[in-house]
Amino acid sequence: MSLEVKHVFYTYQEGSPTESHALQDICLTVNEGEFLGIVGHTGSGKSTLIQHLNGLLKPSRGDVLVDGLNINQKEAKGKLKELRMKVGIVFQYPEYQLFEETVEQDIAFGPRNLGLNDTEIRQRVQDAMALLKLDYASLRKQSPFDLSGGQKRKVAIAGVLAMQPKYLVLDEPTAGLDPKGREEFLEEIATLHRKGMTIVMVSHSMDDVARYAQRMVVLDHGQIRLQGTPREVFSNHAELEAIGVGVPTLTKLLLELKAKGLNVRTDLIELHEIKDEILRALSEREEMAKC
Amino acid sequence: MLKDITIGQYLPGNSLLHKLDPRTKILAVLLYMIALFVVNNFWGLGAMLILSIVVILISKIPLRFFFRGIKAIAFIVLLTVALQMFMTPGEALWQWGFLTITKEGIRQAIFMGTRLLLLVSLTSILTLTTTPISLTDGIENLLKPFQRFGMPAHELAMMMTIALRFIPTLVEETEKIMQAQAARGADFESGNLVERAKAMIPLLVPLFLNAFKRADELAMAMEARCYHGGENRTRLKALKYGVRDVVTGVLCLCMIAGAFFTRFI
């Protein structure tokens, strides 16, 4: 079972003089249980793409299949709720969507729309809050608007998790958080992934993608330019620079060392292997100097 | 659906009307409204109709923009026409149950309907050919004489500018919030009236909160740049009357005189 995007085109304001092709011939498969990173600069079509994954947008051409169900076809119409339950989308700055009087009620909004009964809703709210390490007992009666920025965001994401989606899609989930909040947050997303949830994360940070994603795609002008494991993708330095998304900080370090004449490999992304590689290159140079 | 909102829409162009001073255009529209209600027979109404068509042609605005504007108020026009037709007392032409159409009613209906349509067309000419900024500049300038009596002309103009500026922003934000709530299973499209009204709460609460927050931030940003209204402010584009404004003014006065004249035909 998977999310499949097949030759999808999407055009905004089709037929008018301001029409723009946001997506062009996108083919992408998100396998169950994987962590996929989507990168690209502003306006490359990332947000448009993820809105297709639960039928908020319908492709102008091409097909989107959620576990085999085509969102274009008539039969999908009655199953829209089921679809939204399967694919949870957390938009940018999700805390701007909070609206209820208490944290508990806000998180319960999704499950309530699914028509669940009260005990089940309560259970789901508790589970969702526990996943993000939010304390149910102390927070449930608080107004979401009295919380700190990071906590507001957690509550908003809990609202999506309470739908118990199989696929969780996050659009720049760490934008606007402080460094500590970011770190915590990414760890929690990684934990969700370890527990078996499929994660699709849109990000501007190559470091985050290099660290967490198992596979990644690079979007540029509505087209997929590169696709593969972070290790494969980040070895195409020149192309990434040309697209304007850049490479992770550590890869950049290796590239600069190489430019300065140190003989290092540049296709590494993990911190420990990079450390070993630099030490190796340094000792190699010392050996050469001795001779 | 929200993209269809055309309030205060401006269409860039190069026609004579685009080049006129906004104050001239505002005053001309005011005089036009007066003339439209001064005329009281078909000669006058016909003359106004021809005049309006000429103005529309001069503006070089594609006709579909007017039709779109008219479509938005079609219901009001039809209601007015129907009310006039059935409610005016006089010589009965046709009767069915309690419904009576009178000769006077038909005349009134034609008059009111045409007046409304012309009014909307010409005011949309004003906004279509004038940028919102120069429009508010013009209003501010025209209201200046009343400042002596305590009218806050500059502040009013500033408020209008800000309001117009934020319409697209709010529309965009509404769409974003709708999508986010739809992703949580909210349903804005089905259900009866009460259910639909209730479904708007998850949309309206965040929208208002953000609007207030944004207003606060904008006020702070203006304060930080030492904004204070009115006195001694200069403009990038100072308003200046030209020859074409004088000519337009004379023509407008002719229009009013002509409108009064048609009453005696």
Side-chain angles (χ1 to χ4, degrees):
Chain A
M1 289 286 143
S2 56
L3 293 176
E4 281 174 86
V5 178
K6 289 182 176 169
H7 300 285
V8 160
F9 289 75
Y10 189 80
T11 311
Y12 281 106
Q13 284 159 329
E14 205 156 9
S16 87
T18 52
E19 81 172 12
S20 62
H21 303 281
L23 297 178
Q24 295 178 52
D25 203 13
I26 298 280
C27 290
L28 176 70
T29 307
V30 185
N31 298 312
E32 208 174 315
E34 81 172 334
F35 194 132
L36 178 79
I38 301 180
V39 301
H41 53 77
T42 318
S44 59
K46 298 171 302 211
S47 297
T48 311
L49 174 60
I50 62 168
Q51 283 169 37
H52 280 82
L53 298 180
N54 73 348
L56 283 172
L57 289 179
K58 299 253 158 64
S60 309
R61 229 161 8 112
D63 294 300
V64 177
L65 274 71
V66 177
D67 285 350
L69 180 74
N70 192 329
I71 63 163
N72 270 348
Q73 274 161 4
K74 277 228 175 76
E75 55 182 307
K77 222 168 174 196
K79 292 184 180 164
L80 218 54
K81 264 197 182 159
E82 194 185 310
L83 205 78
R84 305 249 155 101
M85 192 163 86
K86 238 181 210 163
V87 185
I89 297 192
V90 177
F91 286 92
Q92 270 174 54
Y93 296 98
E95 57 273 24
Y96 289 147
Q97 299 132 25
L98 299 171
F99 70 98
E100 276 285 11
E101 285 169 48
T102 68
V103 168
E104 182 169 29
Q105 281 173 316
D106 207 287
I107 298 175
F109 179 67
R112 189 156 288 138
N113 284 327
L114 299 177
L116 301 173
N117 63 41
D118 283 349
T119 41
E120 194 160 353
I121 289 174
R122 174 172 293 229
Q123 190 56 48
R124 282 192 173 206
V125 171
Q126 288 177 350
D127 291 348
M129 288 178 80
L131 280 174
L132 294 173
K133 302 200 181 89
L134 290 165
D135 184 37
Y136 177 75
S138 66
L139 288 175
R140 57 184 286 232
K141 288 283 172 219
Q142 276 201 46
S143 161
F145 302 106
D146 293 338
L147 303 176
S148 71
Q151 291 221 302
K152 268 188 201 168
R153 183 162 303 181
K154 281 190 180 181
V155 169
I157 295 182
V160 175
L161 287 177
M163 316 257 301
Q164 298 189 344
K166 207 168 132 187
Y167 304 94
L168 183 65
V169 183
L170 302 138
D171 193 352
E172 286 181 45
T174 55
L177 289 183
D178 56 43
K180 188 165 162 277
R182 278 178 81 95
E183 212 46 35
E184 253 179 57
F185 211 82
L186 287 166
E187 272 313 317
E188 264 146 38
I189 293 168
T191 311
L192 289 174
H193 174 238
R194 276 194 289 277
K195 283 183 181 160
M197 197 177 277
T198 312
I199 309 273
V200 177
M201 183 171 84
V202 171
S203 181
H204 271 305
S205 160
M206 299 306 131
D207 291 335
D208 295 349
V209 173
R211 209 161 130 201
Y212 293 103
Q214 295 169 322
R215 213 157 58 82
M216 62 183 289
V217 293
V218 182
L219 280 183
D220 183 41
H221 290 106
Q223 287 166 317
I224 292 182
R225 291 282 293 270
L226 292 167
Q227 187 165 182
T229 64
R231 205 176 282 265
E232 287 161 10
V233 170
F234 286 129
S235 58
N236 299 299
H237 323 118
E239 190 163 5
L240 287 170
E241 290 296 343
I243 295 169
V245 292
V247 293
T249 322
L250 290 171
T251 311
K252 202 174 255 169
L253 174 70
L254 289 176
L255 285 171
E256 278 175 25
L257 285 174
K258 184 152 198 169
K260 289 248 154 74
L262 193 66
N263 184 24
V264 287
R265 283 170 59 190
T266 54
D267 57 345
L268 305 170
I269 55 169
E270 299 258 1
L271 180 60
H272 64 88
E273 58 182 23
I274 287 171
K275 186 193 81 182
D276 292 347
E277 175 67 10
I278 293 176
L279 288 175
R280 186 198 59 74
L282 283 174
S283 64
E284 184 187 281
R285 198 169 67 167
E286 257 167 54
E287 293 282 318
M288 299 267 278
K290 272 185 203 156
C291 292
Chain B
M1 98 196 167
L2 291 165
K3 295 236 158 68
D4 295 336
I5 295 176
T6 53
I7 304 169
Q9 201 184 24
Y10 167 70
L11 210 67
N14 212 358
S15 73
L16 180 65
L17 288 182
H18 283 87
K19 288 182 202 147
L20 274 181
D21 188 289
R23 291 170 294 181
T24 316
K25 282 189 268 190
I26 296 167
L27 288 177
V29 168
L30 276 178
L31 288 176
Y32 175 84
M33 285 182 193
I34 295 169
L36 206 52
F37 284 88
V38 163
V39 294
N40 65 347
N41 57 28
F42 284 110
W43 289 109
L45 198 65
M48 291 307 284
L49 186 64
I50 291 167
L51 176 74
S52 312
I53 291 170
V54 170
V55 172
I56 289 174
L57 290 179
I58 291 174
S59 75
K60 292 184 191 154
I61 304 266
L63 282 179
R64 65 192 161 91
F65 278 90
F66 294 99
F67 290 127
R68 209 192 288 168
I70 286 165
K71 222 164 82 186
I73 59 144
F75 176 73
I76 301 173
V77 174
L78 284 178
L79 189 75
T80 317
V81 167
L83 282 178
Q84 295 287 350
M85 201 140 74
F86 293 116
M87 298 308 212
T88 316
E91 188 187 330
L93 287 178
W94 181 82
Q95 203 162 12
W96 183 77
F98 65 97
L99 291 173
T100 322
I101 293 181
T102 62
K103 202 173 162 190
E104 286 77 4
I106 289 180
R107 195 189 136 89
Q108 278 293 338
I110 292 173
F111 260 79
M112 287 317 288
T114 318
R115 275 175 180 156
L116 262 178
L117 287 181
L118 290 183
L119 209 62
V120 172
S121 309
L122 264 267
T123 38
S124 37
I125 282 267
L126 177 65
T127 54
L128 281 166
T129 61
T130 320
T131 60
I133 297 290
S134 56
L135 197 63
T136 45
D137 269 1
I139 292 173
E140 180 184 351
N141 211 284
L142 288 171
L143 289 178
K144 239 185 199 140
F146 300 103
Q147 241 166 7
R148 210 167 302 166
F149 312 113
M151 163 96 78
H154 177 79
E155 285 75 6
L156 279 176
M158 195 66 200
M159 274 159 63
M160 274 178 64
T161 314
I162 292 174
L164 286 171
R165 155 67 185 77
F166 275 96
I167 289 174
T169 312
L170 287 178
V171 168
E172 197 182 302
E173 198 160 291
T174 311
E175 277 176 353
K176 261 192 202 155
I177 299 172
M178 270 177 114
Q179 287 208 320
Q181 305 297 27
R184 288 211 272 165
D187 185 359
F188 297 106
E189 271 133 36
S190 55
N192 60 35
L193 202 63
V194 181
E195 279 166 6
R196 276 191 196 210
K198 266 194 183 155
M200 292 314 252
I201 295 174
L203 175 63
L204 292 178
V205 173
L207 192 63
F208 272 91
L209 276 172
N210 292 350
F212 285 130
K213 208 173 126 208
R214 193 160 280 157
D216 241 7
E217 278 167 7
L218 181 65
M220 195 70 88
M222 286 165 82
E223 200 84 55
R225 286 191 258 174
C226 302
Y227 171 85
H228 69 105
E231 287 304 296
N232 301 327
R233 268 186 96 75
T234 54
R235 288 173 196 292
L236 183 60
K237 286 182 188 156
L239 296 177
K240 220 168 134 195
Y241 288 119
V243 180
R244 50 174 98 87
D245 295 294
V246 177
V247 175
T248 313
V250 172
L251 288 177
C252 283
L253 291 178
C254 292
M255 170 181 72
I256 285 284
F260 275 106
F261 176 71
T262 61
R263 289 177 80 105
F264 302 109
I265 296 178

